[in-house]
Amino acid sequence: MTTPTDTSPAPEPVPGRAGSPAPDRRSWLRDHSELGVCVMLLALGVLVLTDALTMDVDITQRGPVGPKTVPIVVGAGLLVIAALLAVDVLRGGRGEAEGGEDVDLSEPADWRTVLLLSGIFLGAAALIEPAGFPVAGALLFWGAAFALGSRRVDRDPLIAAVLSLLTYVVFDKLLGVPLPGGPLMGVL
C-alpha cells in the first residue's frame, strides 16, 4: 500500500518564535535610501515652481509663450519624476549598483580630489568679478586639470588660457551673454 505524498509547502516561520530565522537587522530607511533622491527632486521642483510663479513679468515683455513657461514645465516635471520614483522605490524597485569599467567600488572615496576641486571652483567664483572671466576661467581649468592628476606645467596653463579666452569670446561676443572681462576688458 502506498501513502500519498504531501506536496504542500512548509508553513512560514514566524519571527520571534523559536526556530525561526532572525529578523533582518537593516533599517527600513537603508532599504529605501533612493527616497532621498525623491526628496531632493521634490524640493528642487517646489523651488523652481515657487520661483517661476513669483516671477514679476511685465505683460509687454513676454511673447506668445512667456518667460514663466519653461520653469513651470521643468518644475512640474521634477515633481512628477519625484512621485514616480517614490512609487517605484516603495514597490520594491532598486537602482543598479555601479558597474563602471574603471570604478573600483572597494576603494574609498578620494576626498582630497573632491576638496581640491571644490576649493578651485569656489576660488574661481570669488575671482570672476575682480579678475574677470578669462583669468578666473583659466585658473579654474588649470586647477581642475591639476586636481584630477595632470602635472604638465609646460602645456596645461597654455591650454587653460586658450580654453578660457575661447569660452569668453564665444559667450560674450558671439552669443551676447555678458561675462566680466576684468582687467582684460580693454584688450579683448
Side-chain angles (χ1 to χ4, degrees), residues 27-117:
S27 71
W28 185 87
L29 284 176
R30 182 173 176 149
D31 288 341
H32 298 88
S33 61
E34 290 93 349
L35 290 175
V37 176
C38 300
V39 170
M40 182 190 70
L41 289 172
L42 178 73
L44 191 60
V46 167
L47 178 70
V48 169
L49 280 176
T50 303
D51 194 36
L53 294 174
T54 59
M55 188 184 301
D56 187 28
V57 178
D58 186 15
I59 193 72
T60 61
Q61 292 179 343
R62 65 185 190 117
V65 175
K68 290 184 176 184
T69 305
V70 173
I72 288 174
V73 169
V74 169
L78 286 168
L79 294 179
V80 168
I81 290 171
L84 291 174
L85 182 60
V87 167
D88 181 53
V89 169
L90 292 174
R91 286 185 175 174
R94 301 212 30 112
E96 286 188 34
E98 179 66 39
E101 306 171 3
D102 58 350
V103 177
D104 186 6
L105 297 176
S106 64
E107 290 292 319
D110 185 8
W111 289 108
R112 178 184 176 273
T113 302
V114 171
L115 292 174
L116 270 173
L117 284 172

